[in-house]
């Protein structure tokens, strides 16, 4: 069954977000102050499937505590199957938005 590249990316993004949310802790200070925001976390998935060079992009849509929380969650992700170009494993740079929203 043919699946478009866009559908593959959406599926990967959703699976990746679900894994990140398993390890994500909403910062206490932000919860207490009813702060919500979005962190754009950048990382490299290397040729072995490890998450490396993890950092949050600078933006004014999140707090420093949120950025740290997302970076820590990504550091806890398990190794995955690396990207391939042809038959060769390659590293890729990836950016994904993670949104903090208080359920009211």
């Amino acid at each position: 069954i043919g699946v478009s590249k866009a559908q593959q990316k959406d599926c990967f993004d959703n699976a990746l977000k679900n894994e990140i949310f398993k390890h994500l802790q909403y910062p206490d200070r932000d919860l207490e102050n009813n702060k919500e925001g979005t962190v754009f976390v950048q990382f490299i998935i290397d040729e072995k499937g490890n998450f490396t060079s993890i950092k949050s992009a600078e933006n004014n849509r999140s707090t420093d505590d949120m950025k740290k929380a997302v970076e820590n969650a990504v550091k806890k992700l398990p190794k995955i199957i690396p990207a391939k170009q042809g038959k060769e494993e390659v590293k890729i740079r990836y950016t994904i938005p993670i949104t903090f929203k208080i359920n009211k």
Side-chain angles (χ1 to χ4, degrees), residues 28-103:
D28 290 336
R29 189 170 29 190
D30 292 333
L31 264 178
E32 290 166 12
N33 295 317
N34 289 319
K35 290 202 180 222
E36 297 180 337
T38 299
V39 175
F40 292 89
V41 64
Q42 302 170 331
F43 48 85
I44 291 174
I45 301 171
D46 70 16
E47 302 89 343
K48 294 184 169 95
N50 297 305
F51 291 83
T52 64
S53 302
I54 302 161
K55 69 176 187 165
S56 298
E58 284 305 315
N59 72 28
N60 57 2
R61 296 175 58 192
S62 62
T63 67
D64 287 341
D65 288 347
M66 288 176 189
K67 291 175 188 171
K68 277 190 195 116
V70 172
E71 290 170 8
N72 288 335
V74 173
K75 287 176 185 172
K76 294 176 183 171
L77 293 177
K79 188 186 256 195
I80 64 170
I81 297 169
K84 286 191 174 194
Q85 195 164 9
K87 293 186 181 201
E88 192 173 325
E89 281 95 8
V90 294
K91 65 179 168 182
I92 59 167
R93 181 176 304 279
Y94 213 82
T95 302
I96 191 165
I98 300 297
T99 299
F100 287 84
K101 189 143 180 65
I102 297 171
N103 295 328

